[in-house]
């Protein structure tokens, strides 16, 4: 073999027949100096010969393997005429064959592949006439080739000069194709970087022969979530059909195999002498085909499925034709279209042919829309059908057209509160047409229209049941909307006006319509009279009476009390980035300026003195939203909601219609206090809803740390004013909320700022004593319990015990019928248990003493020593008897008395704790199982009537409270001793199926499941609950559980910022969490929940994907354009977009307290 096949013979001649080395073929004889003269002469001769005939074309060069070149071959001489004939034959050969010859000839006789061997054998006869191995015949061969051929063959030449020639004809293929012809490209690859022919030892060549095995392209395997795979999974499989014949009663020794086609055997004929051909074969032998009218045998299973679906369609059509007024039937028919579209080939294009059309979403929506239009034609007054149509059209209608349809529907049904609530939620989530002022006026129009309907001003539409409660829910939804948009001054003004408009209304205007009452209220609002929460507030009624008498007598205020000047140094560190300074100042102003600004007449201030005009609230901003509340229950809920907006833990939850719209901070996941003390933890019940002036970043622990000095004075004035409006249990509950608010600030000082603990504790104890000194509160065990708990938190254990003993001694003998007394004893026993977790300690003896004396008829006495066994036995019998009596009264067919329902929960909790202390955890679990089995069947989701529904809700709340104590008791026992986790997990799982919205149970479940190495059980349970529950809490805590697991995995994988070996594989946690977020925001409640969007944005930013995070931020704005916290989070995550985000906030009229121009001025100062 030679590196240059054209000079194989020359290299052999120069070798002199000597033995060649293994890599001698790498030598390059073409550059030998001795042959240059003969080379040039032979080139001139070839050029002259070529000029006489046609120009030369690219010729294949023939070469043989080095082993074959040494053998002698004999070839007969051929005549010129015969060579010309062979030349013509070669000229008409196919182009592909020519290319193959070129490839094999040019790439060489040095190949040892199978293609070369085949080509050589096919041309052996032709080459035998051209080849000549004797040097003496070389010149004659060259002459013959030059005269009759355009090609020169290696075997026909003798010297090097016979090869080189000038080819002046261009090859059009060079510019017709993108690359050279593959046959002209060398089929070997060099290995090494040395020059050719210098060092044979460093040269290596790999030959690329044409492999017989074709290289198959790597086919990418499609995952289960791709479009093609999802389509395959949606196809209906062939069902397995059993034998239609009835089974035989007699047992058979074997299963008979029957002929699938029960037909008679074919008759022997002259075409079928053996009787082995079937009918179709016989027809083919006769030259006949099957009948054209003969249908193909269809698939029996699909026929049955299609027949069933067609029967159901016919049944629906018959029913809606007979009962066109049945709206539920129409809605079921609309839902049935999903099943119809999933079925394969219900509507066939031809006989036996399955439907081939693409089952798109648009086609399904159009079919549903057609059914709904037929339903609305038959029921023009049905609001449910029209709402379903609007929800359906939202998928493919333009927002403007959809808004017009909403307005038409509201014009026809202005008295429907559910319709108004849906319309407001729709307008609130339309980013293109959204603005704060526009939506605020829309809320006012809604409430004023419903007030007119309630007053009877709109005679064409009557008042629907539950209108007043729905109006109050819409009012709270408007307040939460303004709070989240940053307009906290308008929220406070709305509540101030509603308190005056509800509780301090003059008697002379009570009988007037709401619109007239609002007109009378406007002069009071603009008079400058102190309002609710301000010092000296007397109310609308007192102001009107005084105006009738000639006005107020102005009293000079005390000059000693001067308001503290605000700190002008808003920017603490000017070296920080601009976005950090803006966020700090904006949050600081939100915390200080949540109250509306009013000119102080004593300081001769006017409206022009206000630096920020947005802090002033005019009557036009609140006038349309004032409503009349006649129910005493709604009066108390109004005060509770006002306190909840101020940050006071009043225990009030917004209505279900606006609960998830109001959730915007992550306090739902805070479980630090619950983990420390599971029995006596303080639950402020924030429920993910922030108060006015609170816009911290996501993840900050939510503490009740209070407001500024002016804010605390405002809250104190509100309590002093509203406490005089209620009495009895409602007043007691307000006092308890005030004390809990102060205790919450003490807990904040205990965990963060211990320097303020002494002063805060002193103020809190002073408040508790002042409240207990009032005559109506002296026997209020709720206040006594909270005061004793405060002393215990401050570390005054003996003082707290004295307070508990004093309160219990005042109770006398109630025989387990007083709920507040049971709760007081329960807290006393729980605090003693947590003080000494050891079940044999002295503190446990105190707890048993407290629970034992609760059952005795004698007055309570302080702890003196160990309780006697006979006293424990008597107490257990008393608990069992009282429990049986309460359960018997509660589960009876008649409505249960309120007293038995009130004391049932407290009694069960005391009995469970008593059994735990005296017998063990198994006895407490047994009591819980007994109560749970009794009450579970009585708890119904919806009763047939209002009385049954109220009874069911009361029983549900009792069972929920008992379940909370049971789970807390199990956690306490697991912290102090060894106990399996299965009972607690099963308890929480059963309870969460009944109460999927309980955040405390969810926190406990997520905490215990996070300790498990395997997450399969948790994921299965969460998947079941999220599919069935209508609440959003299962989605939130499912996401939180996966995030906690991811944090655990990251803490193991990343130690000190370095990647280490993963002992726990991640197994796609990131994709799982993202999938949970996407599924959660698909629902209506999830798409309009600011907390869910904040969590999604925070998670994506933590992954480091800024571009995708921006996409989610803009997607969040499409659903929640009013949430200011989303914009502030985006400024923290994307600092470069500060100007753009502020422009969007200004355009949508969100509250911006620090414009960039003012920030520049502050930085210059």
């Amino acid at each position: 073999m030679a590196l240059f096949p054209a000079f194989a013979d020359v290299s052999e001649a120069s070798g002199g027949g000597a033995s060649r080395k293994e890599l001698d073929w790498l030598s390059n004889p073409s550059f030998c100096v001795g042959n240059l003269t003969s080379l040039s002469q032979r080139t001139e001769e070839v050029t002259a010969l070529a000029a006489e005939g046609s120009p030369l074309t690219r010729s294949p060069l023939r070469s043989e393997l080095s082993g074959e070149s040494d053998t002698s071959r004999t070839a007969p001489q051929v005549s010129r005429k015969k060579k010309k004939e062979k030349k013509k034959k070669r000229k008409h050969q196919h182009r592909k064959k020519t290319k193959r010859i070129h490839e094999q000839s040019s790439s060489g006789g040095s190949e040892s592949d199978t293609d070369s061997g085949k080509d050589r054998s096919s041309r052996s006869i032709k080459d035998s006439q051209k080849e000549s191995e004797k040097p003496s015949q070389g010149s004659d061969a060259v002459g013959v080739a030059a005269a009759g051929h355009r090609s020169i063959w290696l075997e026909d030449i003798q010297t090097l000069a016979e090869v080189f020639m000038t080819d002046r004809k261009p090859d059009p293929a060079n510019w017709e194709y993108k690359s050279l012809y593959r046959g002209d490209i060398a089929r070997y690859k060099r290995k090494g970087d040395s020059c050719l022919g210098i060092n044979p030892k460093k040269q290596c060549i790999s030959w690329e022969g044409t492999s017989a095995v074709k290289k198959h392209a790597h086919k990418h395997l499609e995952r289960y979530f791709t479009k093609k795979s999802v389509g395959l999974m949606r196809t209906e499989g062939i069902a397995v059909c059993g034998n239609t014949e009835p089974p035989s009663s007699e047992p058979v020794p074997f299963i008979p195999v029957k002929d699938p086609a029960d037909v008679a055997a074919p008759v022997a004929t002259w075409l079928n002498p053996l009787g082995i051909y079937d009918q179709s074969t016989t027809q083919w032998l006769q030259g006949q085909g099957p009948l054209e009218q003969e249908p193909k045998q269809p698939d029996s299973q699909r026929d049955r499925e299609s027949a069933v679906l067609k029967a159901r369609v016919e049944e629906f059509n018959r029913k809606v034709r007979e009962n066109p007024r049945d709206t539920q039937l129409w809605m079921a028919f609309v839902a049935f279209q999903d099943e119809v579209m999933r079925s394969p080939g219900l509507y066939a294009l031809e006989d036996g042919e399955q439907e081939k059309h693409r089952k798109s979403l648009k086609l399904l929506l159009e079919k549903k829309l057609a059914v709904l239009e037929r339903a609305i034609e038959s029921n023009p007054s049905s609001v449910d059908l029209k709402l379903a149509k609007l929800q359906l059209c939202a998928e493919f209608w333009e927002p403007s057209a959809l808004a017009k349809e909403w307005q038409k529907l509201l014009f026809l049904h202005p008295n429907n509160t559910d319709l108004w609530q849906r319309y407001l939620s729709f307008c609130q989530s339309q980013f293109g047409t959204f603005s704060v002022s526009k939506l605020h006026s829309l809320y006012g129009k809604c409430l004023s229209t419903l007030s007119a309907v309630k007053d009877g001003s709109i005679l064409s539409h009557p008042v629907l049941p539950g209108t007043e409660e729905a109006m109050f829910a819409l009012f709270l939804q408007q307040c939460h909307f303004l709070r989240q948009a940053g307009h906290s001054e308008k929220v406070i003004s709305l509540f101030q006006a509603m308190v005056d408009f509800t509780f301090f209304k003059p008697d002379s205007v009570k009988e007037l319509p709401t619109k007239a009452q609002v007109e009378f209220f406007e002069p009071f609002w603009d008079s400058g009279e102190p309002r609710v929460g301000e010092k000296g507030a007397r109310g609308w009624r007192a102001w009107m009476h005084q105006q009738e008498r000639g006005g107020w007598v102005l009293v000079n205020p005390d000059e000693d009390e001067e308001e503290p000047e605000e700190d002008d140094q808003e920017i603490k560190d000017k070296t920080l980035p601009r976005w950090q300074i803006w966020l700090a100042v904006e949050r600081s102003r939100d915390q200080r300026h949540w109250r509306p600004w009013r000119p102080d007449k004593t300081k001769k201030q006017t409206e022009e003195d206000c630096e920020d005009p947005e802090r002033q609230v005019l009557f036009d901003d609140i006038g349309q939203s004032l409503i009349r509340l006649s129910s005493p229950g709604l009066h108390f809920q109004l005060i509770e909601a006002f306190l909840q907006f101020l940050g006071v833990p009043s225990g009030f939850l917004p209505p279900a219609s606006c609960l998830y719209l109001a959730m915007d901070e992550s306090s739902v996941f805070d479980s630090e206090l619950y983990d420390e003390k599971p029995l006596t933890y303080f639950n402020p019940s924030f429920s993910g809803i922030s108060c006015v002036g609170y816009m911290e970043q996501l993840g900050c622990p939510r503490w009740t740390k209070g407001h500024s000095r002016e804010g605390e004075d405002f809250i104190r004035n509100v309590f002093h004013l509203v406490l005089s409006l209620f009495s009895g249990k409602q007043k007691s509950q307000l006092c308890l909320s005030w004390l809990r608010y102060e205790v919450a600030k003490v807990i904040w000082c205990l965990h963060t700022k211990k320097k303020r603990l002494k002063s805060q504790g002193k103020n809190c104890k002073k408040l508790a004593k002042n409240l207990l000194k009032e005559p109506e509160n002296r026997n209020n065990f709720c206040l006594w319990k909270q005061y004793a708990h405060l002393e215990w938190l401050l570390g005054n254990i003996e003082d707290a015990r004295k307070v508990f003993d004093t309160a219990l001694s005042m109770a006398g003998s109630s025989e387990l019928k007083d709920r507040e007394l049971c709760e007081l004893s329960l807290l006393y026993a729980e605090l003693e248990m947590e003080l000494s977790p050891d079940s044999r300690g002295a503190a446990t003896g105190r707890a048993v003493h407290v629970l034992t004396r609760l059952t005795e008829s004698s007055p309570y006495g302080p702890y003196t020593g160990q309780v006697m066994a006979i006293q424990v036995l008597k107490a257990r019998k008393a608990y069992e008897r009282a429990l049986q009596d309460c359960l018997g009264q509660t589960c009876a067919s008649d409505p249960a008395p309120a007293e038995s329902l009130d004391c049932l929960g407290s009694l069960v909790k005391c009995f469970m704790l008593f059994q735990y202390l005296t017998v063990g955890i198994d006895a407490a679990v047994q009591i819980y199982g007994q109560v749970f089995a009794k009450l579970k069947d009585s708890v119904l989701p919806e009763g047939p009537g209002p009385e049954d529904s109220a009874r069911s809700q009361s029983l549900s709340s009792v069972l929920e409270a008992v379940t909370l104590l049971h789970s807390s008791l199990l956690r306490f026992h697991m912290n102090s001793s060894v106990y399996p986790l299965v009972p607690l997990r099963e308890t929480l799982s059963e309870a969460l199926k009944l109460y999927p919205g309980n955040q405390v149970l969810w926190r406990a479940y997520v905490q215990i499941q996070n300790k498990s190495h395997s997450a399969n059980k948790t994921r299965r349970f969460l998947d079941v609950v999220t599919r069935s529950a209508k609440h959003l809490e299962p989605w939130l805590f499912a996401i939180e559980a996966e995030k906690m697991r991811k944090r655990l995995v990251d803490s193991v994988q990343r130690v000190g910022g370095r990647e280490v070996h993963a002992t726990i594989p991640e197994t796609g946690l990131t994709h799982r969490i993202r999938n949970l977020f996407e599924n959660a925001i698909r629902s209506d409640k999830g798409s309009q929940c600011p907390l869910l969007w904040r969590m999604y944005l925070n998670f994506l930013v933590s992954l480091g994907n800024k571009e995708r995070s921006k996409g989610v931020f803009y997607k969040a704005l499409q659903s929640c354009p009013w949430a200011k916290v989303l914009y502030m989070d985006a400024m923290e995550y994307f600092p470069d977009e500060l100007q753009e985000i502020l422009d969007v906030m200004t355009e949508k009229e969100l509250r911006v307290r620090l414009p960039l121009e003012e920030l520049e001025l502050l930085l210059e100062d």
Side-chain angles (χ1 to χ4, degrees), residues 103 307 357 482 547 647 877 882 1030:
E103 176 184 0
H357 66 81
L482 291 173
Q547 287 296 316
K877 292 294 182 181
K1030 298 180 180 179

Side-chain angles (χ1 to χ4, degrees), residues 353-404:
E353 180 182 357
Q354 298 298 327
E355 193 176 10
K356 301 296 184 182
H357 66 81
R358 181 187 177 192
K359 299 172 182 176
S360 62
L361 176 63
K362 186 176 181 181
L363 178 62
L364 176 62
L365 294 177
E366 289 176 352
K367 291 177 71 68
K368 289 185 176 181
L369 185 60
V371 176
L372 283 173
E373 287 176 351
R374 284 182 53 199
I376 293 173
E377 289 177 2
S378 303
N379 303 274
S381 61
S382 175
V383 179
D384 294 335
L385 291 175
K386 295 176 181 178
L387 272 176
K389 179 184 176 182
L390 285 176
Q391 291 177 353
L392 197 65
C393 294
E395 299 290 338
F396 52 89
W397 276 12
E398 293 292 332
S400 57
L402 203 59
K404 290 181 181 179

Side-chain angles (χ1 to χ4, degrees), residues 161-200:
E162 299 172 359
V163 180
F164 289 95
M165 60 195 70
T166 303
D167 185 5
R168 299 185 182 275
K169 181 181 178 181
D171 189 357
N174 288 338
W175 60 75
E176 286 183 11
Y177 303 101
K178 295 182 179 180
S179 63
L180 293 175
Y181 172 53
R182 57 185 177 86
D184 297 340
I185 302 175
R187 299 175 66 180
Y188 58 86
K189 289 185 178 179
R190 290 184 54 214
K191 293 183 178 180
D193 54 356
S194 60
C195 297
L196 286 174
I198 295 180
N199 190 357

Side-chain angles (χ1 to χ4, degrees), residues 369-510:
L369 185 60
V371 176
L372 283 173
E373 287 176 351
R374 284 182 53 199
I376 293 173
E377 289 177 2
S378 303
N379 303 274
S381 61
S382 175
V383 179
D384 294 335
L385 291 175
K386 295 176 181 178
L387 272 176
K389 179 184 176 182
L390 285 176
Q391 291 177 353
L392 197 65
C393 294
E395 299 290 338
F396 52 89
W397 276 12
E398 293 292 332
S400 57
L402 203 59
K404 290 181 181 179
E405 291 296 324
W406 271 107
Q407 293 171 3
K408 291 179 183 178
L409 190 58
L410 283 171
F411 179 77
L412 295 175
H413 307 279
N415 60 337
N416 194 307
T417 54
D418 185 34
L419 201 61
W420 276 107
Q421 198 274 333
R422 291 172 182 264
Y423 176 58
L424 290 170
S425 299
F426 165 76
C427 295
Q428 195 166 329
S429 60
Q430 296 296 316
F431 179 78
T433 58
F434 169 81
S435 67
V436 172
S437 60
K438 181 179 178 181
L439 200 65
H440 181 55
S441 62
L442 193 60
Y443 271 105
K445 180 182 178 181
C446 165
L447 292 174
S448 59
T449 304
L450 291 175
S451 297
V453 171
K454 184 183 175 185
D455 295 337
S457 302
I458 301 180
L459 301 178
S460 58
H461 294 81
V463 183
L464 298 178
T467 299
E468 187 174 354
E469 289 78 5
M471 290 171 62
F472 179 65
L474 289 172
F475 171 79
L476 293 180
Q477 183 174 332
Q478 180 186 14
C479 293
H480 281 293
F481 159 71
L482 291 173
R483 173 187 61 81
Q484 291 176 335
H487 296 271
S488 54
E489 300 93 346
K490 293 181 180 179
V491 177
I492 300 300
S493 297
L494 273 173
F495 275 107
Q496 287 177 324
M498 275 298 297
V499 171
D500 268 317
F501 195 74
T502 303
F503 296 99
F504 300 99
K505 188 180 299 182
D507 298 333
S508 57
V509 300
K510 285 185 177 180

Side-chain angles (χ1 to χ4, degrees), residues 723-735:
L723 281 176
S724 61
L725 303 176
F726 299 95
S727 61
K729 289 185 177 180
Q730 294 178 341
K731 184 175 181 179
S732 172
Q733 191 169 349
L734 288 176
C735 294

Side-chain angles (χ1 to χ4, degrees), residues 29-87:
S30 62
F31 294 97
C32 295
V33 184
N35 297 327
L36 289 178
T37 306
S38 59
L39 184 65
S40 61
Q41 293 177 358
R42 183 45 84 194
T43 302
E44 292 176 359
E45 294 177 2
V46 173
T47 305
L49 292 173
E52 295 177 0
S54 59
L56 295 174
T57 59
R58 295 185 181 183
S59 306
L61 299 178
R62 172 72 178 167
S63 63
E64 301 293 337
L65 295 172
S66 58
E68 297 178 0
S69 61
D70 296 336
T71 62
S72 58
R73 295 186 297 269
T74 59
Q77 297 292 332
V78 293
S79 62
R80 184 190 301 262
K81 183 177 179 180
K82 201 170 184 178
K83 288 187 177 182
K84 285 185 177 181
E85 291 176 359
K86 292 185 178 293
K87 171 205 164 190

